[in-house]
Amino acid sequence: MMLSVETRHAIHPETAKGFDTAALRKNFHVGGIFADGEIRLIYTHYDRMIVGGAVPAGAALTLDQVKECGTASILDRREMVIVNIGGNGTVTADADYAMGKGDMLYLGMGAGKVSFSGEGRFYILSAPAHHTYPSRLIKIDDAAQVKLGAQETSNERTIYQFVHPDVMKSCQLVVGMTKLAKGSIWNTMPAHVHDRRMEAYLYFDLAEGQRVMHLMGEPSETRHLVIANEEGAISPPWSIHSGAGTSSYTFIWAMAGDNVDYKDVEMVSMETLK
């Protein structure tokens, strides 16, 4: 089994203003994390969030010690959410969990080493934990659903809340999924920031040749990343996070930080954006 870990350090907004495209992508773009027979992680210094991917591709993969975490096993002082964006697969930790596409698994602190098998493509999210909450598999049909937007504004979408205060308890991870209706392309607009939490995005179900223009940066100093299918972005607390696609798509959003209050945000008016 091959495990690789990349470290991303936190970037000050004044520094980010001077980045060219290559520097923006090096620090904030997430790509290449789904590779057959590998586990690839990105360890960020934004609330110590880890994002990554595991693709068994016919041979089981096991995630245990990650040097960057400083513990014997990754879940000794962490919680984790795993999202299956591929075919049927199984995750084994404190129990065996069969996962279909769109299902999310929460693993509490101390759940042990984590193994992946089957045809799944597993998106991994992890953050430090201070308490052990029960592990829980949440099928997409069991997630809380919130419908927002309208066809007239090209942002008709359904928000699926999985690891969320309205569904279950966690230490600091808040994770869900947003599916855009056919013909809608805008997500999270009008934009907002939440200085008390970082966020990570993963875009998928994006057709070949299509892209998402992910907006980031301070409201008065916006930048963008061009993102392909099964790629994403690391969004620092000072940054907006919004975007538009060349077709409809689905994205996973994950937050970690001071609290788990989904509505603790500062809205940014369209007139403010530059």
Side-chain angles (χ1 to χ4, degrees), residues 70-269:
T71 54
S73 188
I74 187 170
L75 290 181
D76 286 353
R77 289 288 299 164
R78 284 179 165 267
E79 59 186 356
M80 180 179 289
V81 173
I82 298 165
V83 190
N84 185 8
I85 64 170
N88 292 334
T90 300
V91 175
T92 301
D94 50 2
D96 293 333
Y97 301 94
M99 299 183 67
K101 184 176 181 179
D103 295 343
M104 291 196 189
L105 171 64
Y106 172 84
L107 295 175
M109 182 177 69
K113 62 185 179 181
V114 185
S115 295
F116 307 87
S117 59
E119 300 303 315
R121 299 174 71 79
F122 299 101
Y123 181 47
I124 300 168
L125 299 150
S126 179
H130 59 273
H131 181 83
T132 298
Y133 287 107
S135 298
R136 180 176 173 183
L137 174 63
I138 305 171
K139 297 287 187 177
I140 189 167
D141 292 339
D142 297 327
Q145 296 185 25
V146 179
K147 295 186 180 298
L148 293 175
Q151 187 177 24
E152 292 75 16
T153 48
S154 302
N155 68 346
E156 184 181 359
R157 61 201 191 274
T158 301
I159 297 176
Y160 295 84
Q161 299 169 338
F162 289 80
V163 182
H164 184 282
D166 291 343
V167 180
M168 58 165 290
K169 288 186 176 181
S170 64
C171 289
Q172 61 169 320
L173 282 174
V174 179
V175 186
M177 182 186 301
T178 300
K179 290 189 175 186
L180 275 71
K182 186 176 182 180
S184 286
I185 60 171
W186 279 101
N187 71 68
T188 324
M189 185 59 78
H192 61 263
V193 296
H194 34 72
D195 193 55
R196 287 160 293 282
R197 288 172 310 197
M198 64 81 66
E199 190 159 2
Y201 270 54
L202 181 80
Y203 295 94
F204 68 106
D205 283 347
L206 188 63
E208 185 176 356
Q210 305 300 310
R211 295 292 186 270
V212 171
M213 308 300 161
H214 179 91
L215 302 180
M216 61 165 295
E218 295 176 283
S220 61
E221 193 79 26
T222 60
R223 298 289 188 270
H224 75 276
L225 298 170
V226 180
I227 295 181
N229 187 48
E230 295 189 355
E231 295 183 349
I234 296 167
S235 183
W238 47 263
S239 175
I240 66 166
H241 38 266
S242 182
T246 56
S247 68
S248 56
Y249 52 91
T250 302
F251 67 94
I252 298 163
W253 42 268
M255 293 176 279
D258 254 354
N259 61 46
V260 294
D261 183 357
Y262 182 76
K263 297 180 180 179
D264 179 19
V265 301
E266 288 78 46
M267 301 303 296
V268 176
S269 69

